[in-house]
DNA sequence: CGGTATCCTCCTCGATACTG
DNA sequence: CAGTATCGAGGAGGATACCG
């Protein structure tokens, strides 16, 4: 229903690609995965997803919330307490996300080996374009 | 096994996130999905994945090939004939990718609605940082 | 046909600092 | 605790041109 022999850029295709961009985004998948395990607070996510910055986590959560995948609950206490959890819609994605993450863990080694052998036959790992040094413009 | 309460940035986690970046990349998922349907030639993919540029398709395929997910077969004829298809490793990802794409199509409307209602309660869709208008340089 | 080579432009992400 | 504001660097991706 998608891979029609004719490659017309339908509206649905365009939208689908847009959504995939969100779902496929670097951090969204991980955050969704974590929330699939349990309801979590902001700082908890910040710790559990090491490497993510405060700002990016905030942006990511906002995006997921806007898409209706994650809900945000503020408990009016002090200090503030905010819970994030999957919405029913988010739950429908849970299995797919889980299998994606699981696949990744199961095949880390395969990919490592594939890359090694690829880099061997071709010359080394993908090289940087080699900065022309004369690129440092006025600052 | 992943969501350990302690959020130490293990090597595996780091690698896993790297792989997710590849798998979750905008175009990779779509290309993998297409190749899941059938073996395809370069130009065929170029048409079937409307919106992708020649360069980006080439880069994407190179990446997938390096990761051992896609194989490239050159038939020494003129004009050149090159086939791309999933490797056995790529096949192991097929189901997950398919369900991801299917989910996307099934929930396009849900997401649209969620965004609308979100944008309604908050002020309009996420705005651009407001281009300082004096940014429109010569074109 | 199936790519590379360049160039250039956003847009994402990270670091840092400040606030309710 | 849970964010927002600001800034700056880098990479992803598009347009275009050319090659085997």
């Amino acid at each position: 229903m998608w891979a029609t022999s004719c490659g017309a850029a339908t509206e649905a295709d365009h939208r689908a690609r847009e959504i995939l961009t969100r779902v496929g985004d670097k951090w969204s998948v991980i955050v969704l995965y974590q929330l699939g395990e349990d309801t979590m607070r902001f700082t908890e996510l910040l710790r559990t997803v090491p490497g993510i910055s405060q700002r990016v986590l905030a942006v990511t959560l906002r995006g997921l919330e806007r898409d209706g995948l994650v809900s945000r609950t503020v408990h009016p206490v002090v200090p503030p307490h905010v819970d994030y959890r999957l919405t029913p819609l988010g739950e429908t994605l849970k299995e797919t996300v889980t299998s994606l993450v699981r696949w990744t863990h199961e095949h880390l080694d395969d990919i490592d080996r594939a890359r090694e052998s690829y880099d061997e036959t071709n010359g080394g790992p993908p090289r940087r374009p080699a900065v022309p040094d004369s690129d440092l413009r006025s600052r």
Side-chain angles (χ1 to χ4, degrees), chain A:
Chain A
M1 53 134 174
W2 210 48
T4 50
S5 55
C6 160
T10 69
E11 177 62 13
D13 283 0
H14 197 283
R15 290 299 325 276
R17 247 173 289 127
E18 187 199 333
I19 306 294
L20 276 175
T21 299
R22 149 143 323 294
V23 167
D25 152 86
K26 186 178 181 178
W27 300 109
S28 293
V29 177
I30 316 223
V31 170
L32 283 174
Y33 178 72
Q34 291 298 337
L35 293 179
E37 304 272 307
D38 199 0
T39 293
M40 289 180 108
R41 303 178 56 174
F42 188 86
T43 355
E44 223 170 335
L45 281 166
L46 209 52
R47 280 195 314 270
T48 317
V49 184
I52 198 171
S53 70
Q54 208 173 27
R55 180 183 161 282
V56 171
L57 177 57
V59 170
T60 301
L61 286 169
R62 193 71 29 83
L64 294 173
E65 197 195 346
R66 184 167 107 101
D67 287 353
L69 297 169
V70 163
S71 68
R72 177 174 178 273
T73 312
V74 182
H75 299 98
V77 297
V78 18
H81 184 131
V82 180
D83 279 329
Y84 291 94
R85 60 171 304 170
L86 295 186
T87 62
L89 180 58
E91 292 284 346
T92 67
L93 233 191
K94 183 172 165 180
E95 235 191 271
T96 301
V97 163
T98 301
S99 75
L100 190 57
V101 172
R102 193 169 41 218
W103 183 93
T104 304
H105 278 91
E106 280 167 3
H107 296 281
L108 271 181
D109 295 354
D110 294 328
I111 292 190
D112 275 337
R113 264 182 264 108
R115 286 185 182 175
E116 260 174 71
S117 86
Y118 181 94
D119 293 343
E120 220 165 273
T121 61
N122 309 278
R127 25 186 109 277
R128 255 128 256 295
V131 180
D133 71 47
S134 59
D135 185 27
L136 314 160
R137 40 199 111 159
S138 61
R139 304 193 32 114

